[in-house]
Amino acid sequence: GFAAPFCFTNDKGYFVEMTREELYAAARALPATPGVYIMHNSADKVIYVGKSKALRNRVGSYFAPYADHKGKTARMVASVHHFEVYHTATELEALVLENQFIKQFMPRYNIKLKDSAGYPYIRVSDGEYPRISVVTKREGGGTYYGPYASHTTAKNIVSAATVAFCFPTCNRRFPAELGKGRPCLNYHIGRCMGFCSGKLSRGEYMARVEGVKRLLGGDCVGLAKELEEKMNQAAEAMDYERAASYRDSMRAVLKIRDKQHIVASPTTEADVIGIYADDAGSAISVLMVRGGAITDRET
């Protein structure tokens, strides 16, 4: 996302209070696209953070002449001195960014999300035989992907990724339990490679782990093309069962691609600078990205 402040300053750089009419006009100038809005009081303290799939409508509803707010909302609106917005590509991205800002600023008028456990991540563990799990914090070893909007979303992605590569989801410990016992039902219905049988090498296991990592890391297009090529090769060889397996994997990869838009690498460390200027003035915003998340900003 990128930030845009909506406030007036005098020749000394101090904020000048905007009237409710001016706030409404500024809100109506926003695009009807997803993003996060941050309300400030006269001391420039963040008092409320919200998100919307249509910023113009949501922010405008606070200051509209017809608005008749009650209770907490009325007190919040009366305290607004100026606001800023962060534009995002999707509503899901706005949801995650809203959570980050609420945790960072702890605004007075935000009740939800202040004490929540946060959004989940998908973790691929380290070790000789890595496993995939859903966690709520990035701590310890392993590779992390996310955050995601909900545990359901993360679990659905893990399910799709494991099905795409027939990755084991059982609680058996490898290599201690290799070759002990028969494969479970997932193996017989084609949803697991049956690694527990001991008939497959660790190299085959790690190849599937790397495939899962590529998938979660966003290389969906390349994987989908590879799977499509393998599907066509299997079909030409009249191995229709294998071709159907590759087809299902390709569909799972493309489905995950649609859910990975907001994911940033946990190792991303950058300062992103946005500059805009027109006849009315200029603005510069700097977003500090640490560990794949926006941790602070200067405008």
Side-chain angles (χ1 to χ4, degrees):
F2 63 92
F6 282 87
C7 56
F8 297 143
T9 58
N10 59 22
D11 56 359
K12 294 183 180 180
Y14 295 118
F15 290 115
V16 176
E17 185 171 7
M18 298 174 68
T19 65
R20 183 159 175 163
E21 291 75 16
E22 289 169 337
L23 288 167
Y24 181 61
R28 295 303 298 170
L30 295 172
T33 53
V36 174
Y37 55 93
I38 301 178
M39 303 295 191
H40 296 253
N41 63 13
S42 57
D44 199 27
K45 181 178 177 61
V46 174
I47 60 174
Y48 187 75
V49 175
K51 63 90 181 173
S52 176
K53 63 181 178 181
L55 284 170
R56 179 196 304 158
N57 299 340
R58 176 63 62 80
V59 180
S61 68
Y62 289 108
F63 311 111
Y66 55 79
D68 184 22
H69 303 299
K70 305 293 183 183
K72 177 176 69 73
T73 302
R75 294 192 296 273
M76 186 276 290
V77 172
S79 301
V80 174
H81 183 277
H82 59 278
F83 66 86
E84 61 181 313
V85 298
Y86 282 74
H87 301 282
T88 60
T90 66
E91 186 179 7
L92 182 58
E93 185 178 0
L95 181 65
V96 174
L97 192 59
E98 176 196 34
N99 176 66
Q100 293 172 357
F101 283 145
I102 290 175
K103 293 292 197 306
Q104 178 182 348
F105 298 116
M106 299 295 286
R108 175 182 178 183
Y109 291 102
N110 281 100
I111 303 300
K112 296 180 179 179
L113 301 181
K114 274 188 178 181
D115 300 318
S116 66
Y119 292 107
Y121 296 85
I122 295 174
R123 177 177 182 260
V124 180
S125 67
D126 292 329
E128 189 177 2
Y129 295 93
R131 301 303 290 263
I132 306 170
S133 60
V134 177
V135 298
T136 56
K137 293 182 179 180
R138 291 196 307 209
E139 56 186 9
T143 305
Y144 294 83
Y145 303 89
Y148 296 89
S150 67
H151 280 78
T152 299
T153 298
K155 289 178 180 178
N156 288 342
I157 291 175
V158 168
S159 176
T162 53
V163 168
F165 290 94
C166 294
F167 199 76
T169 58
C170 61
N171 294 323
R172 293 187 179 182
R173 295 173 296 173
F174 302 137
E177 297 184 42
L178 286 177
K180 297 181 180 179
R182 293 183 296 177
C184 64
L185 178 62
N186 281 342
Y187 168 75
H188 295 290
I189 63 176
R191 298 192 62 173
C192 177
M193 60 183 173
F195 185 77
C196 57
S197 66
K199 297 179 180 180
L200 298 174
S201 68
R202 180 176 178 272
E204 175 66 19
Y205 186 95
M206 293 306 298
R208 293 174 186 267
V209 171
E210 290 306 312
V212 170
K213 285 185 175 182
R214 284 181 62 189
L215 186 59
L216 296 175
D219 187 17
C220 298
V221 175
L223 278 172
K225 288 182 178 179
E226 290 179 14
L227 290 169
E228 184 177 17
E229 291 174 359
K230 291 180 179 179
M231 178 187 69
N232 293 334
Q233 292 171 0
E236 290 175 1
M238 292 186 290
D239 188 349
Y240 299 116
E241 183 177 352
R242 183 175 293 274
S245 176
Y246 285 132
R247 179 203 61 200
D248 294 341
S249 296
M250 181 180 66
R251 288 177 177 175
V253 167
L254 294 175
K255 184 177 181 180
I256 291 178
R257 179 190 62 181
D258 295 334
K259 297 180 179 180
Q260 284 293 105
H261 183 83
I262 66 166
V263 176
S265 168
T267 60
T268 299
E269 305 283 340
D271 292 335
V272 183
I273 303 174
I275 303 174
Y276 177 80
D278 60 19
D279 294 339
S282 306
I284 300 177
S285 291
V286 183
L287 306 183
M288 293 72 164
V289 181
R290 302 292 182 267
I294 297 176
T295 59
D296 202 355
R297 82 280 181 274
E298 291 288 344
T299 299

